[in-house]
Amino acid sequence: MLFDTHTHYDDEAFDEDREPLLTSLPAHGIAKVINAGATLASNEKTIRLMQEYPFLYGAIGIHPEGVKELNEEKYQWLKEQCGLEKAVAVGEIGLDYYWDEPEKELQKYWFNRQLKLAKEMNLPVIIHSREAAKDTIDMLRQEWTETMTGVIHCYSYTKESAQIFLEMGFYFGIGGVITFKNARKLKEAAAYIPIDKILLETDCPYLAPVPYRGKRNSSLYLPGVVQELAAVKGITPREVEEVTMENAYRLFTKVPRLGTER
Ligand code: NI
C-alpha cells in the first residue's frame, strides 16, 4: 500500500473525472492521500475533499505564489481550519524565487507567520522551496525547535543542503522527477538521504513520472517512482513501499493507520 503525501486533487485538471478517479485509488493500492492547499480557494476545496473521501487528508496553507491574498482575517481563517480533525499539516508554505513575484519580503513574511502557525497548532509543515535554499534554511533555523518537523516537498537541492535539513529532522518528498533523464542531482541526493526520511509524493496533476512525463499526473503513477527509488537505494520496491508508508505515519501523526479510522 502507498501513501501519496502531496497532491492537488482540487485542481481543475481533475474536474472531469475527479470522483471516479479518487474513488478508484484504494483498490489500486493507494491507501492514504494528502491534498495540499495553495490558495484560499484551494484550501476550501481541500476541506470539501477531506469530508468526501475517508482516505484523503488535508494540509492547510498558502503557497508562496499565493501570499498576496493573505491578511490578518484570512490568516485567522486558516488557523481555524488547522483545528479540523483531518487537517494534518500546515502547507504548502515556503519560498519560490523562480519568478520575480511576489516580492521576496512578502513571501518571507507569510512563510514565517505560517511556520509560527504550525508551531502553535503543533502540526508538521509541508515546505515548497524553489531556488531559495539559503533563505529557506535560514528561516527554518530561526524558528526551529526540538518539536518542529516537516517535509521538504519535491526536493530539488543538493545532498549538501539535504544534510542540513536532515540535521533539523526534516523529511524529503520525492516524486516523478526522480524518473527524469536529467535527474542526476536528485538521484545523488536520494542515494544520500536515509530511506527512513523519504516520503512518496506525486504533486499531481504536475510532474508525472516517465513514461507519462508531460501528461496529467495522479497517484496511480506512484509505482513508477517506487521502482526508480528502489533502484537508487538498492532495495526492493516492496521495502520502499513499506518504509515510506511508516515514515508518513511517523510524520503525519494525525493520520490514523489503515483499519483504525473512525
Ligand atoms: Ni504542490
Side-chain angles (χ1 to χ4, degrees), residues 112-150:
N112 179 266
R113 288 293 300 276
Q114 294 183 93
L115 281 175
K116 289 193 164 90
L117 173 66
K119 289 206 286 193
E120 195 182 334
M121 301 304 290
N122 208 11
L123 288 172
V125 286
I126 295 178
I127 308 266
H128 171 105
S129 179
R130 183 159 64 152
E131 299 192 5
K134 184 180 181 301
D135 282 1
T136 302
I137 288 168
D138 289 348
M139 290 186 64
L140 287 176
R141 276 189 169 144
Q142 194 191 331
E143 288 299 324
W144 194 84
T145 64
E146 282 291 332
T147 54
M148 184 188 231
T149 181

Side-chain angles (χ1 to χ4, degrees), residues 6-8 36-38 63 92 126 128 153-154 201 203-204 206:
H6 195 112
T7 68
H8 298 282
H63 187 285
E92 59 185 291
I126 295 178
H128 171 105
H153 132 72
C154 194
E201 62 169 49
D203 203 18
C204 64
Y206 314 106

Side-chain angles (χ1 to χ4, degrees), residues 149-187:
T149 181
V151 54
I152 313 299
H153 132 72
C154 194
Y155 189 70
S156 61
Y157 299 135
T158 60
K159 73 175 205 193
E160 286 75 19
S161 295
Q163 187 189 349
I164 299 170
F165 290 118
L166 273 174
E167 282 164 10
M168 286 191 277
F170 280 91
Y171 289 75
F172 300 79
I174 291 182
V177 176
I178 199 165
T179 67
F180 296 177
K181 263 207 178 110
N182 54 358
R184 193 182 53 82
K185 188 175 85 172
L186 176 60
K187 282 184 187 172

